Amino acid sequence: MPVFAPPIADHLFTLYELLDFESHAQLPGFEHCTRDVIAAVLEQSARFSSEVLYPLHRTADEEGVHFDNGTVTTPKGFRQAYAQLVEGGWPALTASPEHGGQGMPHMVNFLFEEMLNGANLSFGLFPGLTRGAYVALAQHGSAEQKALYAPKLASGEWAGSMCLTEAHCGTDLGLLKTQAMPKGDGSYALTGTKIFISAGEHDLTENIIYLVLARLPDAPKGTKGISLFVVPKFLVDAAGALGARNAVSCGSVEHKMGIHGCPTCVMNFDGATGWLMGEANQGLKAMFAMMNTERIAVGIHGLAIAEASYQNAVAYARERLQGRAPSGARDAAKPADPIIVHPDVRRMLMTQRALTEGCRMLALWTAQALDVSERHGDAEVRAKADAMVQLMTPVVKAFLTDCGVEVANLGVQVLGGHGFIRANGQEQYLRDVRITPIYEGTNGVQAMDLLGRKVLHLDLFHHFAVPVQGFVERHEGDEALAEFVEPLAASFDLLEDSTRMIRERAGLHPEETGAAAVDYMRLFALTAVAYLFARAAEVSLPKSNDAFHRAKLATARFYMQRVLPDSAALHAKILAGAGPVMAMDEAMF
Amino acid sequence: MPVFAPPIADHLFTLYELLDFESHAQLPGFEHCTRDVIAAVLEQSARFSSEVLYPLHRTADEEGVHFDNGTVTTPKGFRQAYAQLVEGGWPALTASPEHGGQGMPHMVNFLFEEMLNGANLSFGLFPGLTRGAYVALAQHGSAEQKALYAPKLASGEWAGSMCLTEAHCGTDLGLLKTQAMPKGDGSYALTGTKIFISAGEHDLTENIIYLVLARLPDAPKGTKGISLFVVPKFLVDAAGALGARNAVSCGSVEHKMGIHGCPTCVMNFDGATGWLMGEANQGLKAMFAMMNTERIAVGIHGLAIAEASYQNAVAYARERLQGRAPSGARDAAKPADPIIVHPDVRRMLMTQRALTEGCRMLALWTAQALDVSERHGDAEVRAKADAMVQLMTPVVKAFLTDCGVEVANLGVQVLGGHGFIRANGQEQYLRDVRITPIYEGTNGVQAMDLLGRKVLHLDLFHHFAVPVQGFVERHEGDEALAEFVEPLAASFDLLEDSTRMIRERAGLHPEETGAAAVDYMRLFALTAVAYLFARAAEVSLPKSNDAFHRAKLATARFYMQRVLPDSAALHAKILAGAGPVMAMDEAMF
């Protein structure tokens, strides 16, 4: 009964009708991204995801990964599916043509990743981490390092893995202890233990390239003394041939709530040979340079599961017969009506749908700015787009992953008791997606990045405010759009007022920012999605004679009337400030 | 590291200071409930729960139940713990003295059940179901049936199990098909298959008494043709000795998200011998007569997990060192401060705490009415209390279980990556509690019961309105309490306005009630908890020189300022009505 069919019609709507991808494809390097090519990429992504990856999704959850004396075996079918992934050229979608990549826009790649992870999040993590390692290497690696590793990572023949967290430090990387001692030949010996390393060890590729944060002997304390190293599982000679096994090994794998098909490893570096990547003590900066892409990608994990959960809830709600429609039997010949007739089931499905479509618009709008920030010919346009990406990235990461959990939770509820049964797949979505508000920086950290750094410190709020205010002003007095523009304007006013209020308080009371951050992030995201739904409505109103655009308008209306009212509550909570949050004696908890 | 220590201080506060249990114990039959006795019961409950049941909680999750050819074996330690439970007399806490019970108030029993289920929800389900079967039997069984089964169920020597759901009907019991054919000797032969039967088969007791819904041959269609039968696993002779195995067997157990230690069974009745309980075709009524207690008990499951999750989150937040307090290092000698210093972590912990304490007050306030409805000497007082119970029961069931999920979800987030690891226990709380908004009637069904039946049809709203309005009026102009009374009054106005609005619309548009129900239920619950926090504040203000009451005030303030603002959003969503919920063509989902 569980189903997975990527919503390509909505992908194309979001790309072309909402975000004018025809113009976007005029950016340098995107000349090959014609409508036919993009449609073909999406269709093939959909086929690969639904036909190859989705069938492994339940079995991988039940089987999990196998750990035996340092060796990790992935669930049945993963090796073959990974080989098909590499053969299809999918890992190289956004990689540079100079490394054998296809140079596709982030906008398209994120839609591919939505499908991949919606079909099988455990599987999707492997190529996702490899793409991240490729990006870091392409940005910060030396010419020699790029020559050795970049094409293999771009193609997916070798996998990448990020080694940041240690037992005593996750969020607070300044505490990390892994040591890198110079060996005198330009290489370093790395010693330390990393935990929570996704895909740290596995059998999908013949080599794994670790990007490791560690300290040089003379490094300053804290975050200013962290350097980035590239450490291959098997050493590679100048010709690219695999040599000796490096002194890095998997000590154990975690037993966890979800993503059972992807190993979460304890990785031991016992004098492993590595090479400095980028400058000494600039490791965090190098790591964070790729973080925007990575954080949007993790947001996409949330969106992906939301879409998958929504589809399954709809399929169940159409089939399951219980009770009668409130206005009388819909199908009197049957013993009962399908539960989709019940208003409360509709409310849940519409909430799932509105959040999912909203998340997709938010991610692609941000990805558009990311492409522009990398590709545009005009440096000023690039810088402006980059500021936009800086501002929106934590919102995408946090809001999409929060919505992933909310939507998956609703999906379980739509199925009732059947939602709690493993075979029906809905509870797995909730278990799998639950890590996404945590990894790649918890959503609390994202909220502090948005409010403390991007809004208060870097003063980037106007990059969001200007387009929204422009849209609202342009449509003042537009009666047809008023039902969308007015709630947007009201929510934006609350956001602006919150921004002003927190700015006033933050200097006086250092706790105000942290106490407001998560509510502020949510208010920001709800407003941004309202803006995008209002734009979607603008595009759809003239086309409301077809069912797709009528559905888009219905979803936008639902969002404005039944989701967006939360803005007022968030504003009130922000207004209450840090006082009630911090008042209680710590001993009394 | 995981901890479980029942919060007896808050139990005693809620009983004695908030709800005047001293007076409550004046009810007929509660003469033995002195303060010393109650304190001893709570302390022994706490010890049994934390020392006997809590240590089995993680191992039972990992081990699960074993199914082998119709036999179900519970996880290691459950049999011994169950024997201790029976030996301690715990199952008989509320049972009538005529059946060997202790005749304790529901108020006390629900606190016992909070501890039991907080320590080990899987285990707690067994005695919970037995208590439910006992209550149904005590209310509807014939003298002979009571004599045969009631004392054994009261003591827990035999277990009870409720058999309602069938594959094609969960919520819509009118569709059920299990047949009961008269055998001519006063007994019936039951044939059919029941699913989702919690504790349907196990090794904890020598006999299991099934209460089964089935149809007599000449029964009317739908819900008016359902009768209730008592079906023992082993037939019992007049002297109470076990005889032949009845034709009821477990066909399989479900693999599910959580509560792994309690079997969820497919039960096959193959001409099993049973006896009609109560009147023919009145089975649903008989079943629902015990539903109020059962639904409050399921609400308690939510509260129980909320408390357990909160405690673990606090313990972690005190220990885990990451980052520095926003106002500067709290403990400069250590490499970092405990994360409890961070405002966003505080926000999560305070939210957990406020919801948990609020749920406890709501449950006990309702349980107080339940006791009065059963015990008071004056029939009019009993009837009024019963109306109150009717009104509040769906609120308790739905709000407490929703909060259980929310609080457990926050608990995972406080622990970050460690929250996703099974050994740390937080993710199990989320998996275990996720069934509670579903079983014993989904929360959507509870919301319809509240709004459609209790508020609109039975017109019971004033039973809530009168005490709240009385409280608000009594404290008008009371400056010390204004910070609690004003938000309560504002939320109550929104609730009253919503009630009026829905009442106006419901007659015209049959979908309005269903579209509003869940938001209405939440608004109702938030307002009820605000009322109880305001009363708690009234009690605590004069005692604010001690830490417990200061903490209560701080929690009440947090609730008013950082939780209750959701009322405004809920009101706005209700105001939006059914239109946006139902507008989209069904084919477009």
Side-chain angles (χ1 to χ4, degrees), chain A residues 30-52:
Chain A
F30 291 163
E31 297 78 9
H32 58 313
C33 298
T34 62
R35 190 159 181 140
D36 287 352
V37 166
I38 299 304
V41 167
L42 294 180
E43 275 155 32
Q44 287 165 32
S45 301
R47 197 168 317 129
F48 179 72
S49 300
S50 59
E51 293 175 8
V52 178

Side-chain angles (χ1 to χ4, degrees), chain A residues 92 94-103 134 138-139 143 146-147 150-152 154 375:
Chain A
T94 52
S96 165
E98 63 178 311
H99 304 130
Q102 300 178 41
Y134 165 79
Q139 281 182 10
K146 286 188 209 175
K152 295 284 198 182
R375 300 279 183 160

Side-chain angles (χ1 to χ4, degrees), chain B residues 339-472:
Chain B
I339 63 172
I340 199 169
V341 304
H342 298 302
D344 187 56
V345 172
R346 280 286 186 116
R347 179 191 61 80
M348 293 193 278
L349 296 177
M350 286 301 295
T351 305
Q352 291 189 295
R353 182 182 178 92
L355 291 177
T356 303
E357 292 186 6
C359 285
R360 184 174 293 124
M361 293 191 290
L362 190 64
L364 284 201
W365 185 51
T366 305
Q368 186 166 41
L370 182 61
D371 281 329
V372 172
S373 77
E374 291 178 0
R375 300 278 183 162
H376 203 279
D378 181 335
E380 206 173 306
V381 175
R382 282 203 307 275
K384 215 176 134 187
D386 184 64
M388 183 71 194
V389 174
Q390 299 288 340
L391 178 68
M392 294 308 299
T393 295
V395 182
V396 170
K397 194 280 176 181
F399 183 69
L400 269 65
T401 56
D402 282 346
C403 285
V405 174
E406 288 165 42
V407 169
N409 193 47
L410 283 169
V412 171
Q413 195 67 19
V414 170
L415 267 71
H418 297 274
F420 199 65
I421 303 299
R422 290 220 297 252
N424 295 324
Q426 275 290 13
E427 63 85 41
Q428 184 186 343
Y429 290 132
L430 183 51
R431 285 189 292 103
D432 282 352
V433 79
R434 188 59 191 84
I435 189 61
T436 65
I438 294 172
Y439 63 19
E440 206 71 25
T442 66
N443 286 359
V445 168
Q446 304 296 331
M448 279 301 285
D449 179 49
L450 170 68
L451 180 56
R453 187 167 160 74
K454 305 301 172 54
V455 171
L456 297 182
H457 182 62
L458 298 177
D459 203 14
L460 301 178
F461 183 70
H462 61 281
H463 289 277
F464 175 69
V466 167
V468 175
Q469 287 171 316
F471 181 88
V472 169

Side-chain angles (χ1 to χ4, degrees), chain A residues 65 70-74 79 82 126 130 158-161 198-210 233 250 261-263 265:
Chain A
V65 297
T71 302
V72 174
T73 311
T74 53
R79 278 177 63 89
Y82 191 83
F126 293 95
T130 302
W158 295 351
S161 177
S198 296
E201 177 60 53
H202 56 80
D203 58 354
L204 298 186
T205 55
E206 60 176 357
N207 205 2
I208 301 173
I209 310 304
Y210 301 99
K233 176 177 165 184
C250 176
C262 183
C265 303

